[in-house]
Amino acid sequence: SATEGRVFGAASVDLRDAAEAAREARRCVKEFDFKAVHINPVPVGEHRLYDDFYESLWNALEDLNVPLAVHTGTGTAADEMLYHYLPRLRTAQTTVAFTMGNMLACTALIMGGVLERHPKLRVVHLESGAGWVPFWLDRLAASVQGGFRGLDIPGLKLHPMEYFKRQCFIAADPDDPGIKHVIDYLGDENIVTATDFSHPEGRRYEVAVKEMMALPGVSLDSKKKILWDNALRLYPIHP
């Protein structure tokens, strides 16, 4: 409130209880005007993001018109895969958790039919880099050695790329070279930028706009969309 409308909140919800998560999302949006609902997608308990268990949460986000913000991290005791594969490799754990965690969440939401069932649900993948998006969307459809490329995916009416273009965004570092690859594959309407203010790795936030404007191979019109227009489509913000 001290920023007089220049800063907005995002609610964090606990995936162990989908009904309570939906209630908390409604409370935070209606009482505090929060603009997104954040999850750590690491599985807790027996349920996965594409299970019926979470339908009440996805319904709530559609009704509230706020996006699902996917942000993974380390230090989660439930993340059995990360610590099984990479024990003691702290720096590698962080890289893998943030990027591959988003790739797995993207897989669950698209291949698990969540975006098919909830066409108004918007999703933003945070702090994972941008470069994985073109490769991963193609690979989800193509499978091993491209053996399924061009074939229908059971339970889905669209190509993974089409779901992403319709409903998903990638939040990229201002100097991320992967931005150009995303534009070449998907276009420039599904990218937003982030500074990670004020974490140590986001220490360049004061020059973030300059870094984005200096990014080679990306047009000025695309940069305008990434810095402003796309975020206004992603979040229910009306400046």
Side-chain angles (χ1 to χ4, degrees):
S1 60
T3 67
E4 299 180 345
R6 290 180 294 125
V7 175
F8 298 99
S12 292
V13 297
D14 190 330
L15 292 178
R16 288 175 291 186
D17 187 331
E20 184 58 34
R23 284 193 291 270
E24 177 67 357
R26 294 184 187 279
R27 184 182 76 90
C28 289
V29 172
K30 292 182 179 296
E31 292 188 23
F32 305 116
D33 198 27
F34 282 9
K35 302 300 185 182
V37 171
H38 152 258
I39 63 166
N40 182 339
V42 172
V44 284
E46 61 182 304
H47 300 292
R48 299 297 181 263
L49 296 179
Y50 45 83
D51 290 344
D52 290 344
F53 179 79
Y54 289 112
E55 287 296 295
S56 60
L57 178 57
W58 312 144
N59 287 332
L61 297 186
E62 283 188 301
D63 292 343
L64 294 167
N65 189 35
V66 295
L68 173 71
V70 180
H71 186 296
T72 56
T74 54
T76 303
D79 199 345
E80 298 178 4
M81 182 186 74
L82 182 67
Y83 303 113
H84 176 75
Y85 273 87
L86 302 170
R88 302 177 302 282
L89 293 181
R90 185 68 180 87
T91 303
Q93 289 172 357
T94 301
T95 302
V96 169
F98 276 66
T99 300
M100 296 191 70
N102 268 281
M103 294 170 74
L104 290 169
C106 177
T107 304
L109 294 170
I110 292 178
M111 304 297 280
V114 176
L115 301 189
E116 170 66 33
R117 298 191 299 273
H118 298 276
K120 294 190 296 181
L121 177 64
R122 300 190 301 283
V123 179
V124 56
H125 294 279
L126 303 172
E127 283 199 72
S128 61
W132 61 267
V133 173
F135 158 75
W136 197 235
L137 295 178
D138 174 74
R139 190 52 38 179
L140 290 179
S143 190
V144 179
Q145 294 189 327
F148 294 161
R149 183 173 281 116
L151 301 181
D152 292 336
I153 300 173
L156 302 183
K157 296 178 182 178
L158 304 176
H159 187 284
M161 179 183 68
E162 295 177 286
Y163 288 108
F164 199 97
K165 289 183 70 173
R166 187 178 76 179
Q167 295 174 247
C168 300
F169 294 78
I170 182 70
D173 311 328
D175 60 347
D176 189 340
I179 290 173
K180 184 179 185 305
H181 300 311
V182 175
I183 292 174
D184 290 343
Y185 187 69
L186 289 178
D188 58 7
E189 297 190 347
N190 297 82
I191 312 168
V192 294
T193 192
T195 65
D196 204 22
F197 177 91
S198 58
H199 284 191
E201 65 270 24
R203 62 191 178 280
R204 302 192 315 275
Y205 52 81
E206 292 182 345
V207 294
V209 173
K210 291 182 180 179
E211 288 188 331
M212 172 60 71
M213 294 304 293
L215 194 65
V218 177
S219 71
L220 185 62
D221 185 59
S222 292
K223 291 173 180 177
K224 177 180 179 294
K225 291 181 180 180
I226 294 168
L227 285 168
W228 187 256
D229 297 341
N230 294 344
L232 296 183
R233 292 191 301 109
L234 169 61
Y235 299 103
I237 296 174
H238 307 286

